[in-house]
Amino acid sequence: MTYAFDFASVLSSWPQFLEGAWLTILLSFPATVIGFVGGSLLSIVRRSATRCLVIACGAYVVVLRTTPLLVPVFLV
């Protein structure tokens, strides 16, 4: 079997691929920073002495760990 790959349609859409890659970078950088800051604050609060905050943060972590990833994505 011989396959003839035709990349002409892909190459003609190259600017759209570059635009999509750039948009991905622009969206992932702030999301990473927000996730890092939020996770750091959550871990600090979970180690605090206030039992109410520890339970609330623990519940938040358990709920996010046990739900499939698409559920929070759809909710947001």
Side-chain angles (χ1 to χ4, degrees):
M1 282 193 228
T2 355
Y3 293 107
F5 294 109
D6 183 22
F7 290 105
S9 61
V10 174
L11 292 177
S12 67
S13 301
W14 188 250
Q16 291 173 336
F17 286 121
L18 286 177
E19 183 181 346
W22 181 244
L23 182 62
T24 301
I25 292 170
L26 286 178
L27 291 175
S28 64
F29 181 72
T32 302
V33 170
I34 290 169
F36 178 76
V37 170
S40 297
L41 290 175
L42 194 64
S43 67
I44 290 170
V45 171
R46 280 195 75 180
R47 298 191 46 90
S48 72
T50 310
R51 185 166 171 80
C52 208
L53 288 176
V54 172
I55 292 173
C57 289
Y60 175 76
V61 169
V62 167
V63 166
L64 283 185
R65 278 189 182 171
T66 57
T67 57
L69 181 60
L70 282 178
V71 173
V73 169
F74 285 141
L75 291 176
V76 171

